[in-house]
Amino acid sequence: MDLKDKSLFIQKCFIDGHWLDAESKEIFDVMNPSDQTKVGTMPNCSKKDTVKAIEAAKKSWNNWKKLTGKERSIFIRKWHNLILENIDDLALIMTLENGKPINDSKAEITYASWFTDWFAEEAKRTYGKTIPSTMQGRRIITIKQSVGVCGIITPWNFPAAMITRKVAPALAAGCPVVIKPAGSTPFTATALVELANRAGIPDGVINLISVSEKDVANVGDELCENLNVRKISFTGSTNVGKILMSKTAGTVKRVSMELGGHAPFIVFEDADLDEAVIGAMANKYRNSGQVCVSANRIYVHESIYDEFSNRLAEKSSQLKVADGRTEGSQIGPLITPQAFKKVEEHVEDAVEKGAKILTGGTNDNSGVQFYKPTVLTDINNNMKIYYEETFGPVAPIIKFKNENEVIEMANDTKYGLAGYFYSRDIGKIWRVAEALEYGMVGINAGVISTEVAPFGGIKESGIGREGAEEGIEEYLEIKYLCFDGVEK
Ligand code: ADP
């Protein structure tokens, strides 16, 4: 691997300040989704390794939580600086294991660093309250304290940002963590942890356990069921989120769940069409459509349906599909053969049920896991693509006639993560923004993630918020202190 700092490529787990193999010495392979070559191997950790990591975290908690917010902030700031100093190496590691174009990997590392930046500041602002008492002689205040050891379970689609978005607020709040990255993208995670270690974050405060996807429940169950873990923060599929919620119920853990989405993207008749096409392109094709806030149903008013669809198809057909390391690549591979098959199935099912392909609709000859950017029209609600997350570069376009109808269609899903719409009518903008049952709404904006705003969903898209001032609250408990006998 052509890294400036070769010591950032680490094929071990991290417990109590040490890079280790699994106790069993078992390993699993991590493959490059672009060409199916092996990137490296990782320890296949078991319950035993997980317990060791949890114990190390627990041991470190007392000292870590007793630091001042400012002291913790200094560590997080150092970590932040090291992430940015090593952006090229981190991006290359990410592209090799995830497949995304190198420029997208760099953009993700930058995005990941926004959270270390933000929470280095927020570490100093975990304010409590003074509450006026209703009884003479009493005083009431609240203080905020760290939750305790947090299990951090992250997906492969944003291998860096999903870690910093959770770990930075956890550390800021005073919580130690045990990270379990996705089996397909552990090396971005180990590099980030190495940088945290270089930033001087004390032993035990950050631990990392890796496990193959086939054995993931061994580690997952321990994180969910161990009494010493007080919180699980998870980003991933709704199905796995439900499993984790049921397993954490036995020990009544706090949970943050960032789950699946099925975003509507509505283009009203009064929209700025150029902007709507630009927004749809940026939204739909980032990370080859493997994004939980990616548009899954594009609703376009009947008066502009053909024009919008043709313009989107033309732009989509111009995207460069190639190995993420190739200059100018814009669309990388899908993460696994199964992910590719799902996209293929969704498109085939739609076409069988009457959808038209304006562009794409097949695999790209860049490799077996590459799918061409695809635009489908004549979509209806009998098709799988209408309700299920496709997680691929496919833009299904649906015709609508009026505002009420499209709001009803847009909300007709179990998901509630992000929604988008384009309009220039101020009254309509307020009405639609309020009516959409989503945790986040982009108004004339196709890309809305930022560290300063609360990211999260409602319905089966999750519980809790990440980023913003809300993000650190997920790792804090509120304690109420009642002082009596103040006046004699
Ligand atoms: P995706 O569909 O995006 O791959 P998953 O929900 O399958 O999302 O995976 C997200 C994360 O959850 C990954 O780190 C994966 O290893 C982990 N995971 C999957 N199943 C379990 C489980 N039973 N217990 C704990 N973690 C799990």
Side-chain angles (χ1 to χ4, degrees), residues 153-156 180-183 213 216-217 220-221 234-237 240 243-244 391:
I153 303 177
T154 56
W156 48 266
K180 207 301 285 169
E213 289 302 319
V216 68
D221 288 0
F234 170 73
T235 296
S237 62
V240 172
I243 295 172
L244 301 184
F391 242 54

Side-chain angles (χ1 to χ4, degrees), residues 366-385:
S366 309
V368 292
Q369 280 167 231
F370 290 80
Y371 203 85
K372 281 188 179 158
T374 297
V375 176
L376 301 176
T377 55
D378 297 8
I379 297 295
N380 65 55
N381 63 4
N382 291 318
M383 300 169 179
K384 282 186 189 167
I385 211 164

Side-chain angles (χ1 to χ4, degrees), residues 98-144:
N98 167 287
K100 68 175 71 178
I102 193 78
N103 287 337
D104 288 9
S105 294
K106 285 186 190 159
E108 184 188 330
I109 299 299
T110 304
Y111 174 57
S113 77
W114 293 350
F115 293 96
T116 42
D117 174 53
W118 175 262
F119 287 109
E121 294 301 318
E122 289 297 283
K124 296 176 257 180
R125 300 187 188 119
T126 55
Y127 307 131
K129 268 192 207 161
T130 308
I131 300 169
S133 170
T134 54
M135 289 171 71
Q136 290 296 341
R138 284 201 164 184
R139 299 293 183 270
I140 297 174
I141 64 163
T142 62
I143 58 170
K144 296 208 177 142

